Amino acid sequence: MKILLNKQEQKIILSGNTFNLKEKIKIIGGKWDPLAKNWWLFLTNENLENLKKLGLSIEDHFDIKNLKSPAIPTDSYSVTNFLLFINNIITKNLFHNYWISGEISNLKQSNEHLFFDLIDKEQASSNFNKTASIPCIIWVNVRKRLDSKLNQILFSDGTKIKILIRCEFRKEGAKIIGIIEDIDIHFTQGELALQRLAIVQSLKNKGLYHKNKNISFPSYPLKIALITAKDSRAYSDFINELSLSKIAFKITLFDCNMQGEKTAENIVSAFQIVAKNTFFYDCVVITRGGGSRLDLRWFDDFSIAEQIALCPLPVLTAIGHFDDNSIADEVANISEKTPTAAARILTDTVLHSYQFFFQKVDNITYFLLKRLAKEKNFILSLQEKCTSSALKRIQSEQKNLKNIEKMLKIIKSSIEQNLQRGFALVYDDANNLLQGKHFLSPTYSKNLKLKFAGDCENHYIFVEVLVKAVSESRESTELDF
């Protein structure tokens, strides 16, 4: 099947068996229409000449001598015509392949195709924060062809590469895309990766890389020093997530640039203020919204990483998305990907601590109640023992009293018997019962009272006497009245 040429408005349509010439058609600016399944070029003398060089017969289809350039309105352009005009210029002037070098940024993969930005930060204008960049694509068929080369280099964000591209203009978004055809594998790693490695190594050499990670994160991080841009989406997402918890967090905002040349200066200044007022904060949170990997490179900064490492409070970072990780994230105490996730870490920590506290209270309460019941049982047991012991002691004393009573009765009976036999009991004038030894005392009482038994039971006779003298012998003591 031959290649067929047709004219459609201001386009040259190529259909049929174009497979063997597709790479050459691409080089001269041909575009593939996946819906019509054909190639097309703008109808220009240059494109007709290029097709003629490819061996295609164009005289039967096109009048080269009378061919005019596409008519373009001179007063105003429609969007479509203007983009066609730009595309025509690019196609006419950028139909060759070009070697360019730069650093890979924001590398992504979709359906095995590779998409990334090739950046040139070194020559960025001092008037803008943005870095010169061009979006590039490695289609899957080219990737398979270059697979052996890709495996020999570090193809990742920050790697400096040299690539062969052809330019393609996309009307959607009105931008130029670099379609990669080849890679120079002898080109070394980019300065981004080398600088990043140098910063990390310097932090490790100074003992700062793990310093903040060694700080214990507080159980109740309620007082937060928040470093972010005040009017950013990150700030609102972070505050909204904390508000949902109904926990009384106290937020101190440090409004800082989170992108651009002032980023490091603002953040370092905020950390210096926090370091002088650590009593007012429990932790520091650095957060910003997502962006390209290039936007987050401001956090691959030694001064920021150093301040995080030296901060006496634990630092929580959330300055990227799931595929991004900066040096600031690496040296921080905790690293999360989004502001919402960072806020959730804080609320979960506080709620877990509350739960742990109340669980401790419940355990202590249970222990005290159990101990109280045990002590109560002990007191009741002790009370029973004391009562039983007291009763036994009373019974024992009652028994002793009865025995004493019996003895007293016996003594009384013996005294009564002696009195009945004519003996008498002797008392002094104070009614004290006297014995023989009392009369040997120089101060013995001479006024005595004698007690004799009477004729009737329980009847006694008392006789008062005056002692004149006391005489003593081996056998007895005699009194003279």
Side-chain angles (χ1 to χ4, degrees):
M1 185 177 178
K2 297 181 179 181
I3 297 178
L4 303 178
L5 298 176
N6 293 296
K7 178 182 177 182
Q8 181 180 335
E9 297 179 349
Q10 297 297 326
K11 294 181 179 179
I12 305 171
I13 306 300
L14 293 83
S15 58
N17 188 15
T18 61
F19 181 80
N20 292 332
L21 293 178
K22 69 175 185 177
E23 296 300 329
K24 295 181 179 180
I25 294 174
K26 287 181 184 180
I27 292 174
I28 64 175
K31 310 294 180 184
W32 175 254
D33 186 343
L35 297 178
K37 295 185 178 180
N38 56 37
W39 292 90
W40 64 272
L41 296 93
F42 285 105
L43 182 55
T44 64
N45 283 325
E46 184 179 1
N47 284 338
L48 290 174
E49 289 295 333
N50 288 331
L51 291 175
K52 190 175 180 180
K53 293 177 181 179
L54 294 180
L56 300 179
S57 177
I58 61 174
E59 288 81 1
D60 297 337
H61 302 84
F62 304 96
D63 185 1
I64 299 178
K65 294 181 179 180
N66 298 321
L67 184 64
K68 298 181 179 179
S69 298
I72 301 297
T74 58
D75 53 348
S76 65
Y77 300 93
S78 68
V79 174
T80 300
N81 286 336
F82 184 67
L83 293 178
L84 288 173
F85 173 68
I86 295 174
N87 188 66
N88 186 39
I89 294 174
I90 293 173
T91 303
K92 289 174 64 176
N93 295 278
L94 299 177
F95 55 87
H96 297 293
N97 289 348
Y98 303 92
W99 284 102
I100 62 174
S101 63
E103 297 172 356
I104 298 174
S105 178
N106 202 25
L107 176 64
K108 295 180 181 178
Q109 177 176 310
S110 177
N111 296 327
E112 298 188 53
H113 307 300
L114 294 179
F115 302 85
F116 61 91
D117 295 325
L118 195 67
I119 66 172
D120 190 3
K121 186 179 179 183
E122 292 179 354
Q123 299 183 19
S125 171
S126 59
N127 296 323
F128 301 96
N129 290 333
K130 296 294 183 180
T131 300
S133 65
I134 179 173
C136 297
I137 301 175
I138 302 180
W139 297 119
V140 61
N141 60 325
V142 178
R143 182 181 178 182
K144 291 179 180 178
R145 175 166 56 84
L146 300 177
D147 188 58
S148 60
K149 292 185 177 181
L150 293 174
N151 290 333
Q152 296 180 53
I153 62 174
L154 179 62
F155 200 84
S156 63
D157 283 356
T159 300
K160 192 170 184 179
I161 60 173
K162 184 178 179 181
I163 55 177
L164 180 67
I165 68 166
R166 60 180 174 84
C167 296
E168 184 176 292
F169 181 73
R170 294 289 178 89
K171 295 188 295 294
E172 301 81 0
K175 58 184 178 180
I176 297 176
I177 305 293
I179 306 301
I180 297 177
E181 300 293 342
D182 200 358
I183 297 178
D184 183 355
I185 63 173
H186 301 293
F187 212 73
T188 57
Q189 286 185 323
E191 291 184 5
L192 284 177
L194 294 176
Q195 290 175 1
R196 194 178 192 281
L197 291 173
I199 291 173
V200 170
Q201 189 60 46
S202 177
L203 292 169
K204 290 181 177 180
N205 292 340
K206 294 182 178 182
L208 300 177
Y209 191 75
H210 297 288
K211 188 175 180 64
N212 196 262
K213 292 183 182 296
N214 294 330
I215 300 176
S216 299
F217 203 80
S219 300
Y220 299 93
L222 299 174
K223 298 178 291 183
I224 302 168
L226 177 61
I227 299 177
T228 190
K230 181 179 180 181
D231 298 324
S232 66
R233 179 67 180 272
Y235 174 76
S236 59
D237 288 349
F238 182 80
I239 296 299
N240 290 339
E241 183 66 24
L242 292 184
S243 300
L244 292 175
S245 68
K246 307 299 182 183
I247 299 173
F249 288 99
K250 183 179 180 181
I251 309 297
T252 302
L253 174 64
F254 293 86
D255 189 9
C256 298
N257 289 344
M258 304 306 284
Q259 179 176 320
E261 299 295 338
K262 294 290 185 180
T263 302
E265 179 183 344
N266 288 175
I267 294 177
V268 168
S269 177
F271 268 106
Q272 289 173 348
I273 296 173
V274 170
K276 295 177 181 178
N277 300 277
T278 56
F279 177 78
F280 297 103
Y281 312 109
D282 296 320
C283 66
V284 179
V285 175
I286 307 176
T287 185
R288 57 154 286 161
S292 67
R293 184 64 183 85
L294 178 61
D295 294 331
L296 299 181
R297 281 210 48 244
W298 302 107
F299 292 89
D300 287 338
D301 182 90
F302 179 82
S303 61
I304 293 177
E306 183 182 37
Q307 289 299 316
I308 292 174
L310 294 175
C311 184
L313 300 174
V315 178
L316 192 161
T317 59
I319 53 180
H321 283 302
F322 296 99
D323 297 330
D324 302 317
N325 191 36
S326 66
I327 296 177
D329 292 317
E330 293 182 17
V331 299
N333 190 282
I334 298 176
S335 173
E336 282 295 337
K337 296 302 181 183
T338 64
T340 300
R344 196 169 293 129
I345 281 286
L346 297 175
T347 57
D348 289 348
T349 300
V350 174
L351 291 175
H352 176 75
S353 298
Y354 280 152
Q355 183 179 8
F356 180 77
F357 171 77
F358 287 118
Q359 182 64 46
K360 282 287 187 181
V361 171
D362 289 342
N363 291 340
I364 293 173
T365 302
Y366 172 77
F367 173 78
L368 290 176
L369 290 175
K370 186 176 179 181
R371 182 64 181 269
L372 182 62
K374 182 178 179 181
E375 296 299 330
K376 184 177 181 180
N377 291 334
F378 175 75
I379 292 174
L380 290 175
S381 174
L382 186 61
Q383 182 180 4
E384 291 178 357
K385 290 181 179 179
C386 289
T387 302
S388 175
S389 177
L391 289 175
K392 290 181 179 179
R393 182 61 181 272
I394 292 173
Q395 292 174 352
S396 175
E397 294 300 326
Q398 287 177 341
K399 186 175 180 181
N400 290 336
L401 288 174
K402 289 181 179 180
N403 292 332
I404 293 172
E405 184 180 4
K406 289 180 180 179
M407 291 180 63
L408 289 175
K409 286 182 178 180
I410 293 172
I411 294 171
K412 182 179 180 181
S413 175
S414 175
I415 294 173
E416 290 293 334
Q417 290 178 359
N418 288 330
L419 291 176
Q420 290 294 333
R421 290 166 57 191
F423 291 96
L425 296 177
V426 181
Y427 298 88
D428 60 12
D429 51 2
N431 288 327
N432 294 318
L433 183 64
L434 300 179
Q435 299 179 6
K437 62 182 180 179
H438 292 144
F439 293 100
L440 300 179
S441 173
T443 60
Y444 73 90
S445 177
K446 295 183 178 181
N447 294 317
L448 303 179
K449 182 166 59 175
L450 305 181
K451 180 180 179 181
F452 295 93
D455 295 334
C456 300
E457 185 178 357
N458 294 328
H459 179 265
Y460 302 97
I461 300 172
F462 293 91
V463 178
E464 293 184 359
V465 297
L466 178 62
V467 178
K468 294 181 178 181
V470 177
S471 60
E472 181 180 7
S473 64
R474 286 178 178 266
E475 290 80 7
S476 63
T477 300
E478 296 181 354
L479 302 176
D480 291 334
F481 300 99

